[in-house]
Amino acid sequence: MTGRYTLAIDGSTYQGSVALLLESRVVAERTLKEDDGAVPRAGRGERLMPAIADSLREAGVARGEIGRIVCGSGPGSFTSLRVAASVAKGLAAGYGVELFAVSSLLLTVTGTQPPLPSGQYLSVLDAMRGEFHAARIVVPPSLTPLPIDGVRVPSRPTDRAVVGIQTEPSSIILAEKLEELAAAGRPFKIIGPGQQIDAHPHARGVAGLLKPIIETGPVDLASWEPDYGRLAEAQVRWEAAHGRKLST
């Protein structure tokens, strides 16, 4: 692998994103929005590839300089995740580079601008049907190596000094439970679209996580799929109508 640049992609929400990194420094980025600034709910695939091309053109980077691709692994929007994963896998195969995955709930915390202070956060994304994907994230007070679930925080500062650690796998919580947690004044702050801290996952968040992402190792390009978190709405409706599970 000779390329120096990392191409990061996230599609866990309708507001997808792209970032181009030189080592751990963001050199170009894009957020998928409509011309009026609204979040797109259609045409995500058509918008993602131009965003990648624009980022490469802005930074003056050729495809041969891409050394790896990192894709947000979800959980989140089934269709958006599937589009981003397909693009990431296709580019990795076409460029002949490895594909790495990272939690999109973690990218919500590490991708914020300005960077978040150290502390505990509950990162959430809408799972529909009155439920949310959720995971506890810790932003450490320093960059001292701290192993959690086999992932270490970088031992030296990066250009983006904020890093985060996901301390548990994502789970599903009810909207009522999330409201209770927000009202209870817990020691953690709730972060996500429309939450106490209003933020979406962003590919730029890979910058502060690149070393542990690489240390975790690449995914298998042929078999990897994002963590959708739950079945697609269309599949749920089909199974309810037919009284049996849809075979895949």
Side-chain angles (χ1 to χ4, degrees):
M1 188 183 301
T2 60
R4 298 184 301 155
Y5 290 86
T6 298
L7 176 62
I9 301 168
D10 184 77
S12 54
T13 69
Y14 292 114
Q15 184 173 298
S17 58
V18 173
L20 186 63
L21 315 178
L22 176 57
E23 296 180 345
S24 58
R25 179 169 60 89
V26 177
V27 296
E29 64 178 73
R30 293 291 186 276
T31 302
L32 304 187
K33 292 185 177 182
E34 302 283 7
D35 293 337
D36 60 1
V39 176
R41 296 185 64 88
R44 284 153 283 188
E46 289 82 355
R47 293 175 181 274
L48 186 56
M49 289 302 295
I52 293 171
D54 287 347
S55 296
L56 294 175
R57 184 166 48 251
E58 177 185 319
V61 174
R63 58 178 291 176
E65 296 179 272
I66 301 296
R68 69 185 62 85
I69 294 175
V70 179
C71 186
S73 62
S77 164
F78 185 92
T79 302
S80 297
L81 279 172
R82 194 163 191 170
V83 168
S86 296
V87 169
K89 293 170 74 171
L91 289 177
Y95 291 174
V97 299
E98 293 177 324
L99 174 64
F100 297 78
V102 62
S103 165
S104 298
L105 290 167
L106 185 53
L107 292 181
T108 303
V109 173
T110 61
T112 56
Q113 287 185 335
L116 293 172
S118 62
Q120 299 183 50
Y121 299 86
L122 182 68
S123 181
V124 300
L125 290 171
D126 189 4
M128 303 183 70
R129 301 198 291 274
E131 296 177 332
F132 285 84
H133 303 292
R136 293 282 292 273
I137 310 291
V138 173
V139 175
S142 69
L143 298 183
T144 303
L146 178 62
I148 294 185
D149 292 337
V151 178
R152 299 178 68 87
V153 177
S155 57
R156 292 181 297 175
T158 63
D159 286 335
R160 177 175 169 80
V162 171
V163 294
I165 307 162
Q166 184 167 324
T167 62
E168 60 188 7
S170 64
S171 59
I172 296 285
I173 63 173
L174 294 174
E176 292 83 355
K177 179 63 175 179
L178 186 61
E179 292 174 359
E180 290 176 8
L181 293 173
R186 294 296 184 96
F188 52 78
K189 295 182 179 179
I190 300 174
I191 181 171
Q195 302 301 320
Q196 291 174 336
I197 302 175
D198 187 7
H200 286 73
H202 202 288
R204 74 171 78 93
V206 168
L209 302 166
L210 189 55
K211 184 176 179 180
I213 288 172
I214 294 172
E215 289 176 348
T216 300
V219 301
D220 178 70
L221 202 56
S223 62
W224 178 75
E225 291 290 338
D227 171 19
Y228 297 111
R230 68 184 319 156
L231 298 177
E233 285 294 306
Q235 183 172 345
V236 171
R237 290 193 295 269
W238 190 95
E239 292 181 353
H242 292 79
R244 61 184 176 88
K245 291 189 176 298
L246 178 66
S247 60
T248 57

